[in-house]
Amino acid sequence: MKKHLMLSAALVTGLLGTAAQAADFGVYPAPVEPVYVPQSYDWTGFYVGINGGYGGGVMEHPYLVYGEDEPTPALAPLSVGTIPDAPPGTIGIIGGSADVTSGGFVGGAQIGYNHQWDQFVLGIEADIQGSTIDGRVSADAEFLEDFLLPEGSALSFDAGSRLDWFATLRPRLGYAHDRFMVYVTGGLAWGQVTSSINGEFSIGEDDSESEPFSVSETTQRIGWTVGGGIEYALLDNVTFKTEYLYTNLGQEELFNLELGEFGLVMDSAVSFHTVRAGLNFRF
């Protein structure tokens, strides 16, 4: 009898322990695996930034020597600019272009605003750049007797242009994927160009008549620009961008000189490419 009681007590104790363990399992829920939700970056807002890079292109200096009373000879075609017109009452004797391959560094600041709809970003940006883009070229033109001048007459000069600064105002249209955006841009451009020429116009093989000249002119130009870039958000309020722009500031007259019985008119046609990188700080 005693053995039966001890066995029954052990059995009851075991059942109670198993029930307690089962109750413990019921108190704590099974662990749930965390679900990763990618962060959605919002490009909407104002920003200011800085940038720097390199620029260059071919600056053309179309020129024309003009005189009187004879038919105009065929003049060389230009890829960007056009040869200047002869003044009223004169005719062109010979024309061409002194083309300058220029290059230099650019750097400046920008300010803008973006607004995002779904994955599309529409914005506007203004920037201003200092520039060291510069180039000079030397040219010589020997005139034949058919051009109303004694054989051996010649025009020799060196000419060049320097882009002092330029600014743009451009809308931007982008496509964003979280923190990464690609965009196209284009709009208004204006800048300041300093051009100069130093040379000599000689008549006859013996240089019996010689007209040295030197002119420097600073002009402000209005033109257009177009390009594109990519931008990436390094932090919530700091983005990094790289950008390409083609800018054309048009063609304007530099000077119109009287050289004895003849004249020399020269224009400047300015266009260039820039590649730059920068940081934007959002607020």
Side-chain angles (χ1 to χ4, degrees):
M1 184 68 177
K2 186 175 180 180
K3 290 182 179 180
H4 287 294
L5 289 175
M6 292 177 64
L7 183 59
S8 297
L11 182 59
V12 170
T13 301
L15 290 174
L16 289 175
T18 302
Q21 291 179 2
D24 289 341
F25 288 136
V27 171
Y28 302 102
V32 177
E33 291 292 331
V35 177
Y36 174 71
V37 178
Q39 182 180 359
S40 179
Y41 187 78
D42 186 3
W43 289 87
T44 298
F46 289 94
Y47 62 87
V48 296
I50 55 175
N51 70 80
Y54 189 82
V58 176
M59 297 187 184
E60 297 188 349
H61 298 84
Y63 63 88
L64 178 71
V65 176
Y66 58 87
E68 299 178 354
D69 299 331
E70 290 291 335
T72 304
L75 301 178
L78 301 179
S79 58
V80 176
T82 57
I83 293 175
D85 294 328
T90 67
I91 56 94
I93 296 176
I94 188 170
S97 180
D99 297 340
V100 181
T101 300
S102 58
F105 294 97
V106 298
Q110 66 270 358
I111 184 171
Y113 177 80
N114 291 322
H115 190 86
Q116 182 170 356
W117 290 273
D118 295 327
Q119 290 182 283
F120 292 97
V121 179
L122 180 63
I124 188 166
E125 181 174 290
D127 69 274
I128 185 166
Q129 309 289 130
S131 167
T132 64
I133 297 175
D134 189 12
R136 298 197 67 84
V137 66
S138 297
D140 294 281
E142 184 172 336
F143 299 88
L144 303 178
E145 191 172 359
D146 294 340
F147 289 116
L148 311 179
L149 293 168
E151 188 171 354
S153 299
L155 170 67
S156 61
F157 61 85
D158 70 274
S161 290
R162 181 183 72 246
L163 179 65
D164 300 319
W165 59 264
F166 70 100
T168 70
L169 177 63
R170 300 168 284 109
R172 301 197 310 170
L173 177 61
Y175 181 82
H177 179 69
D178 196 26
R179 291 176 171 265
F180 179 81
M181 178 175 66
V182 296
Y183 63 88
V184 293
T185 184
L188 181 68
W190 65 99
Q192 179 172 291
V193 179
T194 298
S195 299
S196 62
I197 181 171
N198 303 287
E200 186 174 36
F201 182 55
S202 56
I203 300 176
E205 293 181 348
D206 59 355
D207 295 338
S208 56
E209 295 183 43
S210 180
E211 292 281 349
F213 55 89
S214 179
V215 178
S216 179
E217 187 76 22
T218 297
T219 59
Q220 293 195 6
R221 314 284 186 88
I222 296 178
W224 54 273
T225 186
V226 65
I230 59 175
E231 193 165 352
Y232 182 77
L234 302 174
L235 302 171
D236 287 346
N237 62 342
V238 180
T239 66
F240 172 80
K241 73 171 185 176
T242 60
E243 185 176 73
Y244 162 80
L245 289 178
Y246 169 77
T247 305
N248 189 313
L249 295 179
Q251 177 173 328
E252 290 189 10
E253 182 177 288
L254 291 179
F255 57 81
N256 190 342
L257 297 177
E258 291 186 3
L259 303 173
E261 299 178 4
F262 303 93
L264 171 64
V265 58
M266 175 173 279
D267 289 0
S268 171
V270 176
S271 61
F272 55 94
H273 308 265
T274 54
V275 178
R276 57 191 184 180
L279 291 172
N280 285 330
F281 304 93
R282 303 182 57 210
F283 56 92

